[in-house]
């Protein structure tokens, strides 16, 4: 079972975080608004009720007191008002500089100067919420007026506790807080489910894209529904169809081009063989011909031989391209093979060979001969003597190094020297070589599971170009095993 592993920054994590944040903000906002409205409603109800009670009580007791009052009268009025109110709150009566209260020990600072000033200036009932020693209180002040609205100068203030209302709203807030974690947990679960629903087609599309990138041109994404993701999957399938059609067309063109080259090369072999025979006869008789005719005969002979080599090279490349090239490997004495390569081509006197005896490997002798001959031929044609062939070996592979003391390869040619028909000197469009020798050498090395690298030797070490052919002691087999039955890495060599 595939385990869910949250990854910070992943699309799933971002969706869950966004969903939870939205849920958290929405819940907190709704809770805050509900709390504020509830608190306001509770306080408004309490305030309105207490103001009404105070006014009614003052209106009922005020006619029984004589004006102007003294301290005793003010105290009696405060007691009378307080006793008629629910909870017997603190009542303070004021008349100019005289002040009395229903509780002589009570702190009167809860009646602020601002409230007294507001009651006096407005001539109407006013209230104020204050906090005293950490507890909330409601203070209501009302003036006593004569009939007709004339102000008597007598003011009555009543102080009642709002602790019960605060506890009520706090309990409401605690209830909301207690419900917040389950809401967030439910939001996270819903976010995971929603993310899974959204990400499932995205993951499927990603897998299809990777299969397509790996070369599976039949990879398609399943189209479900009619939403944006379904349209994206449909667009991907349309693009994949177009890509497959394009690649198929290109492969067909490439296959036709290869067949054309192979067919042309094959058809040229027979006339070229005849031309070579005739050119050979002309070349042998050139000494008896007039000078112009002799020069023409030798030119025909040289160009015919060059054309024959080019055709052979093209046919060899077509075999590599079509996958028809096969490895005929056998355990071989490499020193003897390389010595034969030099002797067969008459290069023994031109090339210094460092070929230690006893180095054996399972190789295709003909292909090793072709690869080394192409490298040595290039060194002799384009480098400067001395040209050296050095054979060495390790436990896993063998190395053939071909060096010369020429100017070396231009830096920009090191990456292109194995390209087909590449010539370092573009001005020399005609040369003895066809430009296919290094490419054929590389293909032969790859067929063995080996590589060829081109480099320049540092000037302080003599300079010149260095071509290094590396071959495994046991070439790869189609089943991923070498000649000794050991597992090998897939894929050919690289430059």
């Amino acid at each position: 079972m595939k385990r869910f592993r949250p990854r910070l920054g992943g699309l799933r994590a971002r969706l869950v975080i966004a969903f939870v944040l939205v849920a958290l903000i929405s819940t907190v906002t709704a809770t805050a608004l509900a709390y504020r409205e509830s608190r306001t409603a509770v306080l408004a109800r309490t305030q309105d009720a207490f103001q009404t009670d105070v006014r009614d009580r003052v209106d009922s007791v005020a006619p029984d007191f004589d004006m102007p009052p003294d301290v005793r009268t003010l105290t009696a009025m405060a007691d009378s008002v307080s006793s008629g109110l629910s909870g017997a709150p603190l009542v303070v009566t004021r008349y100019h500089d005289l002040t009395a209260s229903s509780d002589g020990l009570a702190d009167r600072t809860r009646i602020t100067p601002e409230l007294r000033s507001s009651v006096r200036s407005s001539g109407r009932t006013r209230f104020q919420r204050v906090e005293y020693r950490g507890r909330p209180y409601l203070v209501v002040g009302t003036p006593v007026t004569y009939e007709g609205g004339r102000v008597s100068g007598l003011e009555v203030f009543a102080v009642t506790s709002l602790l019960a209302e605060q506890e009520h709203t706090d309990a409401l807030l605690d209830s909301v807080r207690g419900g917040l974690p389950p809401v967030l947990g439910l939001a996270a679960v819903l976010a995971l489910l929603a993310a899974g629903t959204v990400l499932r087609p995205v993951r499927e599309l990603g897998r299809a894209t990777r299969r397509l990138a790996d070369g599976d041109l039949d990879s398609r994404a399943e189209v479900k529904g009619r939403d944006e993701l379904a349209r994206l999957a449909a667009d991907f399938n349309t693009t994949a169809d177009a890509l497959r059609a394009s690649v198929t067309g290109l492969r067909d063109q490439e296959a036709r081009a290869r067949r054309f080259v192979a067919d042309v090369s094959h058809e040229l072999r027979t006339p070229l063989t005849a031309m070579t025979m005739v050119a050979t006869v002309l070349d042998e008789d050139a000494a008896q011909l007039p000078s112009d005719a002799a020069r023409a005969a030798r030119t025909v002979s040289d160009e015919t031989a060059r054309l024959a080599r080019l055709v052979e090279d093209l046919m060899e490349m077509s075999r590599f391209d079509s996958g028809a090239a096969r490895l005929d490997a056998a355990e071989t004495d490499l020193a003897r093979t390389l010595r034969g390569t030099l002797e067969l081509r008459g290069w023994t006197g031109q090339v210094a060979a460092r070929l230690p005896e006893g180095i054996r490997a399972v190789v295709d002798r003909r292909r090793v001969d072709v690869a080394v001959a192409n490298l040595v031929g290039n060194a002799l044609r384009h480098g400067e003597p001395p040209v050296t062939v050095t054979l060495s070996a390790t436990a896993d592979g063998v190395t053939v190094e071909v060096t010369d003391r020429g100017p070396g390869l231009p830096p920009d040619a090191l990456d292109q020297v194995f390209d087909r028909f590449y010539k370092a000197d573009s001005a020399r469009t005609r040369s003895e070589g066809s430009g296919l020798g290094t490419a054929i050498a590389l293909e032969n090395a790859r067929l063995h599971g080996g590589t060829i690298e081109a480099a320049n030797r540092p000037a302080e070490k003599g300079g010149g170009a260095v071509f290094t052919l590396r071959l495994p002691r046991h070439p790869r087999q189609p089943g991923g095993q070498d000649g000794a039955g050991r597992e090998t890495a897939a894929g050919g060599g690289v430059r």
Side-chain angles (χ1 to χ4, degrees):
M1 179 178 177
K2 188 175 181 180
R3 298 180 57 188
F4 168 66
R5 292 182 298 178
R7 189 166 48 124
L8 188 60
L11 189 55
R12 178 194 292 270
R14 282 184 287 175
L15 283 174
V16 172
I17 292 173
F19 201 99
V20 171
L21 283 178
V22 169
L24 178 62
I25 293 173
S26 301
T27 304
V28 170
T29 302
T31 301
L33 292 175
Y35 171 74
R36 189 187 67 176
E37 293 300 323
S38 175
R39 182 174 180 271
T40 301
V42 170
L43 291 177
R45 184 174 63 252
T46 302
Q47 290 164 179
D48 292 344
F50 190 64
Q51 288 182 83
T52 301
D53 290 345
V54 170
R55 281 197 303 267
D56 293 344
R57 186 58 184 168
V58 170
D59 290 342
S60 65
V61 302
D64 298 334
F65 292 90
D66 298 330
M67 294 293 292
D70 52 15
V71 174
R72 185 184 60 81
T73 306
L74 290 176
T75 302
M77 184 177 183
D79 291 338
S80 179
V81 172
S82 176
S83 61
L85 295 175
S86 176
L90 171 66
V91 175
V92 177
T93 53
R94 294 176 60 87
Y95 182 75
H96 299 300
D97 296 333
L98 299 178
T99 303
S101 66
S102 59
D103 186 353
L105 299 178
D107 189 351
R108 302 172 185 173
T109 57
R110 284 170 283 185
I111 305 171
T112 64
E114 292 80 9
L115 179 62
R116 292 199 302 267
S117 175
S118 176
V119 171
R120 186 176 300 117
S121 60
S122 65
R124 303 179 62 182
T125 302
R126 290 288 184 266
F127 73 91
Q128 185 180 28
R129 288 196 296 271
V130 298
E131 187 170 319
Y132 178 71
R133 295 181 179 177
R135 293 188 175 186
Y137 288 90
L138 175 65
V139 183
V140 174
T142 183
V144 177
T145 59
Y146 295 114
E147 292 184 0
R150 187 165 55 88
V151 177
S152 66
L154 177 62
E155 298 169 350
V156 178
F157 296 91
V159 181
T160 186
S161 175
L162 292 176
L163 184 60
E165 286 73 14
Q166 185 184 37
E167 290 175 350
H168 176 75
T169 53
D170 288 347
L172 177 62
L173 183 60
D174 291 340
S175 299
V176 173
R177 287 174 178 169
L180 192 60
V183 170
L184 293 180
L186 180 61
V189 173
L190 293 176
L192 286 173
L193 295 176
T197 303
V198 173
L199 291 180
R200 192 174 301 111
V202 174
R203 287 196 297 269
E204 174 61 27
L205 185 59
R207 284 192 289 269
T209 304
R210 286 191 292 274
R211 290 196 299 269
L212 185 64
D214 291 338
D216 183 6
L217 298 180
D218 294 327
S219 174
R220 297 292 182 273
E222 185 177 1
V223 180
K224 291 182 178 178
R226 304 177 62 182
D227 55 9
E228 289 79 0
L229 290 174
R231 287 196 292 273
L232 179 61
D235 292 340
F236 170 81
N237 292 340
T238 302
T239 304
D241 289 339
L243 179 62
R244 180 174 60 182
S246 177
V247 171
T248 302
L250 290 175
R251 286 176 177 173
D252 291 342
Q253 292 179 11
E254 185 180 5
R256 286 196 296 270
R258 288 175 179 173
R259 284 197 299 271
F260 176 76
V261 172
D263 293 344
V264 169
S265 300
H266 182 74
E267 292 300 324
L268 285 176
R269 292 187 74 179
T270 302
L272 272 176
T273 301
M275 291 173 63
T276 301
M277 294 175 58
V278 174
T280 302
V281 173
L282 290 175
D283 191 38
E284 291 175 351
D285 296 340
Q288 288 77 36
L289 298 175
S291 59
D292 292 343
R295 188 165 51 253
R298 294 192 179 95
T299 301
V300 169
S301 177
D302 293 342
E303 293 300 323
T304 301
R306 183 170 177 271
L307 180 58
R309 288 195 297 273
L310 176 60
V311 169
E312 290 296 332
D313 288 346
L314 288 174
M315 293 186 65
E316 184 72 1
M317 291 304 301
S318 67
R319 283 191 285 271
F320 284 119
D321 292 342
S322 63
R326 293 289 182 269
L327 204 63
D328 185 14
E331 185 165 335
T332 303
D333 186 329
L334 289 177
R336 181 182 302 176
T337 299
L338 299 183
R339 197 175 296 114
T341 299
L342 300 179
E343 291 173 356
L344 180 64
R345 292 165 178 80
W347 292 339
T348 305
Q350 305 175 57
V351 178
R354 298 170 183 171
L355 308 174
E357 300 293 341
I359 297 178
R360 305 180 70 82
V362 179
V363 298
D364 187 325
R365 183 179 306 172
R366 183 185 70 83
R367 296 191 180 280
V368 171
D369 171 76
V370 171
V372 174
N374 280 324
L375 298 180
V376 175
N378 271 346
L380 292 173
R381 282 194 297 273
H382 305 299
E384 292 180 5
V387 174
T388 304
V389 176
T390 304
L391 174 65
S392 60
T394 63
D396 298 325
V398 295
T399 301
V400 179
E401 189 177 81
V402 179
T403 62
D404 65 67
R405 292 300 178 92
L409 295 167
D412 57 348
L414 291 176
D415 293 333
Q416 307 176 46
V417 69
F418 294 100
D419 292 347
R420 297 174 186 183
F421 298 107
Y422 175 77
K423 295 181 179 179
D425 186 358
S426 58
R428 293 167 56 208
T429 55
R430 281 185 57 81
S431 64
E432 186 178 352
S434 63
L436 290 173
T438 53
I440 291 175
L442 179 62
E443 294 294 343
N444 280 304
R446 286 175 170 172
L447 202 59
H448 285 84
T451 64
I452 299 181
E453 296 174 354
N456 286 323
R457 190 161 46 189
E460 56 271 18
K461 294 185 178 180
V466 180
F467 285 84
T468 305
L469 166 65
R470 291 189 173 88
L471 300 176
R473 280 188 179 266
H474 300 274
R476 290 182 299 107
Q477 297 296 330
Q481 294 181 335
D482 59 19
R486 298 176 300 192
E487 296 292 335
T488 60
V494 295
R495 278 184 274 164

